[in-house]
Amino acid sequence: MKNKTYLKASLREIIYSKGRFISIVLIILLGTLLYVGIKATGPILNHSASQFVDQQELSNLQIISTGGLTKADEKLAEDISGAEVESGHQLFYADSDKNQVVKLYSYDQRNQQNQLIVKSGHLPKKADEIVLDEKARKEGYRLNQTYKIDQPDQLKRKSFKIVGFVQSPMYISTEERGLSNVGNGNVDFFAYVPESNFSNEIKSVIYVRFSNVDGKETYGKAYEKKMEQNIDKVEKLFADRPQERAAEIKDTAEKELLPRKAEVTENLAKVDAGQKELDQAKAQLEQQAAVMPAGNPQLQQAQAELAAQQKELSSNREKLMDAQQKISDSEKEISELKTPSYSYDQRSDNPGFQEYGDLSDRIAAIANVFPVFFFFIAALITFTTMTRMVEENRREIGTLKALGYSRFEISIKYIIYALSAATIGIVLGSVIGVNTLPRLVFELSSDRYNFPGVKAFYLSRPIIQATIAFLFASLGAAMLVLMRELHEKPSVLLQPKAPKPGKRIFLERITPIWSRMSFNSKVSYRNLFRYKSRMIMAVIGIAGCSALMVAGVGLKDSLGSVGEKQFGPIIDYDAIVTLKDQPDKATVETIFSENKKLVSELPMMNQTIELKQKGQANQKLTMMVPENRQKFKDYLHLKNQGEPFNLSNEGAVITQKLAELFDLKKGDRLKVYDDDQQTFEVKISAITDNYLGNFLYLSKEYYQQVRRKDFIVNSYLLKSKKLTDSEENELSRKLLSTDQVTNTSFVSTQIETQENSMDNLDGIVWIFVVLSGLLAFIVLYNLTNINVSERVRELSTIKVLGFYDREVTSYIFRENFVFTILGILFGYGLGIVLTKFILDQASMETITFPLVIRSGAYLSSGGLTILFSVIVMVATHFRLRRINMIDALKSNE
């Protein structure tokens, strides 16, 4: 009966102190929600994407060759253990009338890989049917329209009927469709036509799926590791194919050329024989003309016939000589034919695929810092609240102890209280966090990706971590104080703790200020320093919440400033034009000179190189070598910690991220691998600021010195006036039409891509800001509630002494205001450190995030904290008006 009554009393404690109980639950809920929810967001996003692409049988690898792929290539691929192999055609088609570039694929309903998702209509059933990318709807295409493709050398027909609009797992981005080597250089959308329409037996691509990666997360480390092994096997298997394919192409070309060559030779022999006969006929006619009178009609007719025959023979000879020259040129081209290159594209090379993975990686990186700090603040406040709660109940504990209750029986009440609050908070936080945050993040970026949605699941590790932390913060805090209190004798516990003695504070020594302060103000400031632990805990709690809000907005500022810091302050050109091998530069430069919006150009040699170091992943980067290093500074501004410098002939310049990854400094020597895996060494003369990509810069003279090779121009940097999208497309189209250019990349496109990439994180950042603000409000309420609960007797005393309600509220408000201002100021400093730490964690191998926190972050953080403090004090004012002074001041019995 005794225990039953005590159990009821324990449950009533929750009802009597429902404000404190709810605040503890909410703090635990918020901490768990953000920690568990954000920790689960990256894995859930990745798993949902992985599930989608596996369901659509997205190929793990695409084998592509510049020389096309034959049955021999397919057979070789089929020899790979556990590989499922399919082949197909793909080509770029430029519609000059509409200024559109389409990537055309062959469709075979027997194929299983890269299954299309029909959004409307149906897949092709007849040879004259075509399906278009869902994105083509924006271009005005509709079902049952006629679509024309004028590609007579590769397709058997020109006109097709649009029977459907589809999505492809190869294009998970709603906008990005990759680059092309025709038209304006950018693919607008893709299309599929039945394979029977392609006239060439040589295929363009081989799709491969590996059984050893089935069930593995496509963005996971296990998948990446296994795919590296698979690609190594494929590369070894295809190691001899480039040379074999080159020989096949030459052999086929020579066989095709041989009959033509024989025919031309034979016809030339016939022409020679005909000329010989004609010469003999001319000689006979001259002999007859010597004995015949001039003007003889028969003689004139014979001479005219011979002249006509001569003209015909000469014409035939000229045509045959032209044909012979063409054959000779073809033979020369065949002899100089370059060995085809084979490339092995993974899923990450598909448009938009890596961007989505980067989004999850950045969320995961931020989740390692921001929620943990949030979590720490929530746990700290929970710990403080539970500690104060037990300390407030000293008299009750003493009474129970005097009545004969055991230590365990007394503890039951606080165990129930702490476990109830922790359980409700952890369960609700986990359920809400896992089921809302991943979905919210996905919805905020869903307009950029073709995924049907996300499927939430629970990760045990963050839930277990949250449970342990909050059980310690709630139950652990209660038990720690109880252990101390229960060791005291009942007589000691029944007596209230002696108030801390007042002390002379530092402010009192500043007489000009202290003498001008009111009595109430003096009391408030003495109380601040009299109860230092209360002040420190309040300042830490407010500073933590303020720092979270600064970091949240600061993250948005910093992530959005990558492009702003890179394009303009560092990269100051507007486009890169990439040339084909052995180009006619004069043709390209003519187009530059004709375009009035182009200001200048700089010839360059750009190459993709690789750095290798034990214990560090191989890094691919761009090596840029300008023809004129003095002019280079007008196109790219080299800076070290903001201080500009120029490219020298004494060594190479590397970007800061590379220096960090490979632990490099000025004066070190660096081994570099080119495309052919040939090595050369460079001395690092300087390290330059950079935020996007990895680069190695060399002067022309230093390049020739270390490589002992000629400098060959293969690209141009362009500076221009502001170009519209249509003007960029037109310039790109003109350059590609020269057949001397492979691609034109505009900086404006890079800026847009970067902004879109960072926009994906806006949603997650705003979630942090909103939840941080909510936590700040609850923390302020909780700390004020504790402050008032601890000082009910003190506040009742000053009310009895004649203080008005407004003065009593001001008595507390002054202290809270000081706590709030100090917390905000400390929070600003802590927010800067926190933001910097998160950015360091979130930075990637090719991206460095600058620390940029604009004034709005400080204003919003400080403003919201002060607003919450005012709201809490208004609520506190009404509570103080209802204090029962008689109950609070009655003596201990």
Side-chain angles (χ1 to χ4, degrees):
M1 184 69 183
K2 178 182 76 169
N3 289 336
K4 187 176 180 182
T5 304
Y6 181 59
L7 183 61
K8 287 180 180 178
S10 300
L11 295 172
R12 283 197 194 100
E13 179 70 25
I14 296 174
I15 299 169
Y16 291 152
S17 60
K18 55 181 176 294
R20 177 166 53 198
F21 184 81
I22 291 170
S23 68
I24 293 172
V25 169
L26 287 176
I27 289 172
I28 295 174
L29 186 152
L30 281 177
T32 306
L33 184 153
L34 187 62
Y35 184 76
V36 173
I38 294 299
K39 282 284 188 182
T41 295
I44 286 174
L45 290 179
N46 285 347
H47 178 71
S48 300
S50 186
Q51 223 176 20
F52 170 77
V53 296
D54 285 344
Q55 182 182 331
Q56 301 308 129
E57 299 285 342
L58 177 65
S59 55
N60 303 118
L61 191 70
Q62 293 183 33
I63 303 173
I64 301 169
S65 169
T66 54
L69 298 160
T70 65
K71 293 290 184 185
D73 293 298
E74 291 183 53
K75 189 176 185 306
L76 204 58
E78 287 167 356
D79 290 340
I80 303 168
S81 176
E84 177 189 324
V85 176
E86 293 175 3
S87 63
H89 296 274
Q90 60 182 32
L91 61 92
F92 294 111
Y93 168 64
D95 188 335
S96 56
D97 293 337
K98 296 180 179 177
N99 193 26
Q100 290 175 345
V101 177
V102 182
K103 191 165 187 181
L104 193 66
Y105 292 89
S106 60
Y107 171 75
D108 188 336
Q109 59 185 359
R110 296 170 299 176
N111 289 347
Q112 296 299 312
Q113 295 186 44
N114 308 314
Q115 293 179 9
L116 300 174
I117 304 158
V118 180
K119 304 304 290 184
S120 61
H122 60 82
L123 293 171
K125 296 176 182 176
K126 301 175 183 177
D128 64 345
E129 293 180 341
I130 188 172
V131 289
L132 301 184
D133 182 359
E134 175 75 2
K135 191 170 178 251
R137 284 180 182 273
K138 296 178 182 177
E139 306 294 337
Y141 294 101
R142 296 292 179 264
L143 290 174
N144 300 318
Q145 280 184 343
T146 298
Y147 188 82
K148 292 190 176 181
I149 304 175
D150 190 7
Q151 205 82 356
D153 56 333
Q154 297 191 60
L155 292 178
K156 296 175 183 177
R157 70 175 72 241
K158 289 184 180 181
S159 295
F160 297 88
K161 180 184 177 182
I162 300 172
V163 295
F165 291 96
V166 298
Q167 290 176 354
S168 167
M170 290 192 288
Y171 297 91
I172 66 170
S173 169
T174 55
E175 294 298 326
E176 195 179 345
R177 292 295 177 264
L179 303 175
S180 71
N181 55 7
V182 300
N184 58 28
N186 292 300
V187 178
D188 291 284
F189 54 89
F190 62 82
Y192 279 78
V193 298
E195 190 166 1
S196 58
N197 286 289
F198 289 83
S199 51
N200 197 339
E201 291 185 4
I202 303 296
K203 299 294 180 67
S204 311
V205 59
I206 292 175
Y207 303 107
V208 186
R209 274 184 64 86
F210 298 96
S211 59
N212 61 7
V213 292
D214 284 348
K216 287 184 168 57
E217 295 291 329
T218 192
Y219 289 105
K221 297 292 182 186
Y223 177 88
E224 289 178 9
K225 187 175 181 181
K226 189 60 70 175
M227 279 303 299
E228 284 177 9
Q229 296 171 2
N230 290 337
I231 292 172
D232 284 342
K233 290 179 184 177
V234 173
E235 286 177 341
K236 287 175 183 175
L237 202 62
F238 278 78
D240 298 329
R241 277 303 293 160
Q243 290 74 24
E244 292 172 1
R245 183 67 188 129
E248 290 169 4
I249 293 170
K250 287 180 181 179
D251 186 52
T252 302
E254 286 170 353
K255 283 180 180 177
E256 290 177 355
L257 205 59
L258 200 60
R260 287 171 55 202
K261 187 176 180 181
E263 184 183 355
V264 169
T265 303
E266 183 182 345
N267 287 335
L268 273 172
K270 289 178 180 178
V271 168
D272 288 340
Q275 184 66 53
K276 191 173 182 181
E277 291 176 5
L278 189 60
D279 289 342
Q280 290 174 355
K282 282 182 181 179
Q284 290 175 2
L285 188 60
E286 286 173 0
Q287 290 175 0
Q288 292 175 9
V291 296
M292 293 178 70
N296 185 298
Q298 291 180 348
L299 181 64
Q300 289 177 340
Q301 184 179 355
Q303 287 174 335
E305 287 176 357
L306 288 175
Q309 290 177 26
Q310 182 63 59
K311 185 176 180 181
E312 185 179 354
L313 276 173
S314 296
S315 175
N316 287 342
R317 178 182 293 279
E318 189 176 334
K319 289 177 182 177
L320 289 169
M321 291 302 290
D322 285 344
Q324 193 175 51
Q325 183 59 47
K326 287 179 181 177
I327 289 170
S328 178
D329 291 342
S330 296
E331 287 177 329
K332 186 179 178 183
E333 286 178 9
I334 291 170
S335 66
E336 294 176 350
L337 191 67
K338 282 198 166 189
T339 304
S341 62
Y342 280 65
S343 60
Y344 309 95
D345 294 346
Q346 296 191 61
R347 288 176 171 180
S348 57
D349 296 308
N350 291 342
F353 208 88
Q354 191 56 47
E355 181 188 302
Y356 183 86
D358 289 345
L359 169 65
S360 298
D361 287 343
R362 287 170 192 161
I363 291 171
I366 293 171
N368 289 333
V369 184
F370 195 100
V372 174
F373 188 80
F374 187 103
F375 191 66
F376 170 75
I377 295 298
L380 183 67
I381 300 302
T382 303
F383 189 93
T384 304
T385 306
M386 289 301 302
T387 302
R388 299 287 175 79
M389 172 193 165
V390 177
E391 287 177 344
E392 283 176 23
N393 290 344
R394 276 174 56 86
R395 287 179 59 202
E396 182 183 304
I397 293 169
T399 302
L400 292 170
K401 203 171 181 187
L403 291 171
Y405 282 79
S406 69
R407 291 179 180 179
F408 176 74
E409 288 172 330
I410 295 171
S411 302
I412 284 291
K413 172 181 177 178
Y414 303 97
I415 292 172
I416 291 171
Y417 194 98
L419 279 178
S420 300
T423 303
I424 294 170
I426 291 166
V427 171
L428 288 178
S430 298
V431 171
I432 296 171
V434 169
N435 287 284
T436 58
L437 292 191
R439 287 191 171 91
L440 186 56
V441 171
F442 177 79
E443 287 301 322
L444 289 169
S445 58
S446 61
D447 60 332
R448 290 187 52 76
Y449 302 105
N450 287 322
F451 292 132
V454 294
K455 185 177 180 181
F457 56 88
Y458 295 93
L459 275 72
S460 58
R461 177 179 285 184
I463 294 174
I464 291 170
Q465 289 169 339
T467 302
I468 292 170
F470 278 119
L471 281 178
F472 173 76
S474 55
L475 182 60
M479 297 312 294
L480 283 172
V481 179
L482 275 170
M483 285 171 65
R484 186 184 67 206
E485 300 288 358
L486 289 172
H487 277 87
E488 298 281 356
K489 292 179 179 179
S491 59
V492 175
L493 291 170
L494 288 168
Q495 294 297 320
K497 275 189 176 182
K500 289 192 176 184
K503 291 182 181 179
R504 187 178 174 87
I505 64 173
F506 176 74
L507 198 59
E508 291 184 50
R509 303 179 191 278
I510 308 174
T511 306
I513 297 176
W514 185 256
S515 62
R516 286 173 172 77
M517 291 174 63
S518 67
F519 172 77
N520 289 343
S521 297
K522 290 177 180 179
V523 172
S524 295
Y525 285 110
R526 280 193 179 126
N527 280 337
L528 285 174
F529 292 95
R530 186 181 182 191
Y531 301 101
K532 292 186 182 67
S533 61
R534 183 168 64 201
M535 180 182 73
I536 292 169
M537 194 54 63
V539 170
I540 289 175
I542 294 167
C545 295
S546 181
L548 285 167
M549 285 189 281
V550 168
V553 182
L555 276 175
K556 186 178 186 307
D557 292 340
S558 299
L559 297 174
S561 296
V562 175
E564 181 184 312
K565 292 279 187 181
Q566 181 76 7
F567 302 107
I570 295 176
I571 290 178
D572 203 12
Y573 52 84
D574 297 289
I576 300 179
V577 177
T578 306
L579 306 177
K580 290 186 175 179
D581 290 336
Q582 299 177 339
D584 178 5
K585 292 186 288 184
T587 303
V588 177
E589 288 174 353
T590 300
I591 292 178
F592 294 159
S593 61
E594 289 174 351
N595 192 313
K596 298 199 186 321
K597 283 209 168 184
L598 293 183
V599 176
S600 62
E601 69 274 352
L602 178 64
M604 298 284 296
M605 188 183 76
N606 290 348
Q607 288 183 1
T608 300
I609 59 172
E610 193 171 16
L611 302 184
K612 300 178 181 179
Q613 183 173 296
K614 191 173 181 181
Q616 175 67 43
N618 294 353
Q619 292 293 323
K620 288 193 174 181
L621 58 146
T622 303
M623 180 174 70
M624 300 183 76
V625 185
E627 187 176 66
N628 186 320
R629 70 183 179 88
Q630 297 299 332
K631 289 184 178 179
F632 185 57
K633 64 184 179 183
D634 297 328
Y635 293 80
L636 193 136
H637 306 306
L638 299 173
K639 301 176 183 178
N640 184 272
Q641 295 183 345
E643 290 296 321
F645 65 92
N646 294 333
L647 195 61
S648 76
N649 292 331
E650 304 301 320
V653 177
I654 63 168
T655 45
Q656 62 187 32
K657 195 64 184 178
L658 276 176
E660 292 170 13
L661 289 171
F662 287 86
D663 193 23
L664 299 168
K665 57 185 180 297
K666 184 178 177 180
D668 288 349
R669 299 199 69 82
L670 181 65
K671 183 184 282 188
V672 178
Y673 294 77
D674 65 12
D675 282 341
D676 300 321
Q677 294 300 297
Q678 299 296 311
T679 63
F680 62 96
E681 266 197 352
V682 297
K683 179 185 175 183
I684 299 170
S685 64
I687 296 169
T688 185
D689 300 342
N690 196 72
Y691 298 96
L692 271 178
N694 291 320
F695 299 91
L696 179 72
Y697 304 113
L698 282 73
S699 69
K700 174 183 174 181
E701 294 76 14
Y702 187 68
Y703 170 82
Q704 291 173 326
Q705 177 189 327
V706 297
R707 293 238 61 187
R708 303 187 187 282
K709 287 185 176 182
D710 291 335
F711 171 85
I712 299 172
V713 173
N714 65 5
S715 59
Y716 288 92
L717 300 184
L718 300 183
K719 292 194 78 167
S720 69
K721 297 174 184 175
K722 178 69 176 174
L723 295 171
T724 64
D725 290 345
S726 59
E727 287 171 335
E728 286 183 354
N729 289 337
E730 180 60 20
L731 175 59
S732 182
R733 187 192 64 75
K734 280 187 177 180
L735 288 169
L736 283 171
S737 67
T738 63
D739 202 32
Q740 308 299 316
V741 171
T742 59
N743 180 255
T744 303
S745 175
F746 291 95
V747 170
S748 61
T749 304
Q750 295 177 44
I751 293 172
E752 185 180 353
T753 301
Q754 179 61 26
E755 287 175 349
N756 289 336
S757 176
M758 292 302 106
D759 284 347
N760 286 334
L761 288 174
D762 276 359
I764 197 81
V765 167
W766 280 118
I767 290 169
F768 290 157
V769 173
V770 170
L771 290 180
S772 297
L774 190 53
L775 179 66
F777 182 79
I778 297 171
V779 164
L780 280 165
Y781 172 79
N782 216 33
L783 291 173
T784 305
N785 191 46
I786 291 170
N787 194 5
V788 172
S789 299
E790 286 181 342
R791 301 168 67 185
V792 170
R793 288 176 61 84
E794 178 188 345
L795 296 171
S796 297
T797 300
I798 63 173
K799 285 188 80 172
V800 168
L801 291 174
F803 278 61
Y804 292 110
D805 289 334
R806 180 176 53 81
E807 291 175 319
V808 175
T809 301
S810 299
Y811 183 72
I812 296 293
F813 182 74
R814 279 191 206 94
E815 295 177 24
N816 276 17
F817 183 75
V818 173
F819 294 157
T820 302
I821 296 301
L822 287 175
I824 289 170
L825 293 176
F826 280 115
Y828 285 167
L830 189 58
I832 294 170
V833 174
L834 181 61
T835 307
K836 178 71 170 67
F837 189 67
I838 294 172
L839 292 174
D840 288 342
Q841 294 296 309
S843 66
M844 307 174 73
E845 291 176 345
T846 57
I847 300 179
T848 300
F849 295 111
L851 177 62
V852 178
I853 304 179
R854 298 190 174 92
S855 58
Y858 301 109
L859 290 173
S860 60
S861 172
L864 282 172
T865 306
I866 291 171
L867 175 64
F868 295 153
S869 183
V870 170
I871 293 171
V872 167
M873 283 313 302
V874 169
T876 303
H877 173 70
F878 290 103
R879 180 186 171 187
L880 292 174
R881 289 176 61 181
R882 293 193 300 271
I883 288 179
N884 189 319
M885 293 177 283
I886 296 174
D887 286 348
L889 290 172
K890 65 184 179 180
S891 61
N892 296 321
E893 295 177 1

